[in-house]
Amino acid sequence: MTSIEVDPQVAEQAAKNLAESGTHPRLLVGDGALGCADGEPYDRVHVTCGIRTIPYAWVKQTRPGGVIVLPWHPGYGTSHALRLEVRDDGTAIGRAVGYAGYMMMRSQRLKPGEDPPPGKGRRHYRTALDPRALDRLGAGADLAIGALTGLRSHTTEGADEDGEYVRTWIYDPDDGRSWAVATWRPGSVGHGVQQVGDRPVWDEVVQAYAQWVSWGEPHWRRYGLTVAPDGQSIWLDTPERVLSTT
């Protein structure tokens, strides 16, 4: 067994704890995204940090028939336990099998803030779509919206001088100047939307939601992922029905 930890202090404490328990795996300090070529092929890869983009090194270093299990966080909505099986052709294919929430891998973290950067084209309007609904529709909707748009979401709840609120932030991870925030308040007629930037991110989310509904609101268990040397793709029902490729 080989274990990799990026933080030297955490790795040192883990080594002490393992030694006290009588367990002596091979412990390395380094970037887990690179895996460990010295020791491949592996039968299993077990990841204990949130991952958005699966490093191909893990697939390459796992034998055909081997299994990779990881907390998959596509970026929009909830995160999932993803089980991938490596194939003879050098790809890994699998499905979401449950929920799993872990801190993100350091190199893949995004830091959405309460005060996004200024952007041009600021618009204010009202929408009939309750922003709370987008946060509570379920993981099937989250996966569809995330795959179709590539956008990220972040929901906050609280109260201010105007009363209670729920705010859903939508933002483009590649363009910090394109974002939107929709706000729910009790008793309000319609919900306020503020949209900024060249990309109409809120409109895209609403369209993707409508697309998910038109498909019959598929459950999250119907989605899967394929990881190949040139990227990864999210699919619905079968690997041939690709929703997005990155």
Side-chain angles (χ1 to χ4, degrees):
M1 179 182 292
T2 298
S3 181
I4 306 173
E5 167 59 46
V6 69
D7 189 311
Q9 291 183 327
V10 174
E12 181 180 1
Q13 185 60 53
K16 293 178 181 178
N17 294 341
L18 287 166
E20 290 176 0
S21 70
T23 305
H24 301 281
R26 181 189 184 197
L27 301 179
L28 304 175
V29 177
D31 185 354
L34 303 176
C36 178
D38 179 14
E40 65 173 271
Y42 298 99
D43 296 316
R44 298 288 187 270
V45 175
H46 184 198
V47 184
T48 56
C49 60
I51 302 296
R52 181 172 297 108
T53 302
I54 288 81
Y56 185 70
W58 299 347
V59 180
K60 185 178 180 181
Q61 294 171 15
T62 303
R63 66 168 177 79
V67 174
I68 303 170
V69 179
L70 60 113
W72 178 44
H73 186 17
Y76 190 100
T78 191
S79 56
H80 304 266
L82 185 68
R83 183 184 187 277
L84 301 171
E85 183 170 329
V86 177
R87 300 194 170 187
D88 292 330
D89 63 0
T91 64
I93 297 179
R95 293 180 182 269
V97 295
Y99 296 108
Y102 284 70
M103 69 179 73
M104 290 295 294
M105 176 178 282
R106 293 185 183 184
S107 60
Q108 296 192 17
R109 290 178 187 174
L110 293 174
K111 298 179 180 179
E114 291 294 335
D115 299 304
K120 62 181 180 179
R122 186 181 297 264
R123 294 188 293 140
H124 295 267
Y125 57 97
R126 303 194 77 76
T127 177
L129 181 60
D130 188 334
R132 296 175 303 168
L134 289 177
D135 189 47
R136 300 170 185 174
L137 283 171
D142 291 342
L143 284 169
I145 293 170
L148 292 173
T149 67
L151 297 169
R152 306 289 184 257
S153 69
H154 176 58
T155 297
T156 60
E157 300 183 28
D160 57 20
E161 62 275 9
D162 294 321
E164 295 179 63
Y165 66 81
V166 176
R167 291 194 178 105
T168 296
W169 300 87
I170 308 294
Y171 55 99
D172 183 338
D174 299 318
D175 179 7
R177 295 169 296 179
S178 292
W179 55 270
V181 58
T183 303
W184 168 89
R185 290 189 185 275
S188 62
V189 178
H191 311 284
V193 175
Q194 180 182 175
Q195 189 157 247
V196 174
D198 293 326
R199 185 177 178 185
V201 296
W202 176 259
D203 302 331
E204 288 186 31
V205 165
V206 173
Q207 291 169 6
Y209 160 71
Q211 182 68 69
W212 173 72
V213 172
S214 74
W215 291 337
E217 303 182 6
H219 190 270
W220 59 265
R221 290 186 182 276
R222 292 173 57 185
Y223 296 83
L225 193 76
T226 298
V227 183
D230 57 350
Q232 66 185 41
S233 57
I234 300 174
W235 42 266
L236 178 63
D237 293 328
T238 69
E240 291 72 36
R241 189 179 177 184
V242 174
L243 303 182
S244 69
T245 300
T246 55

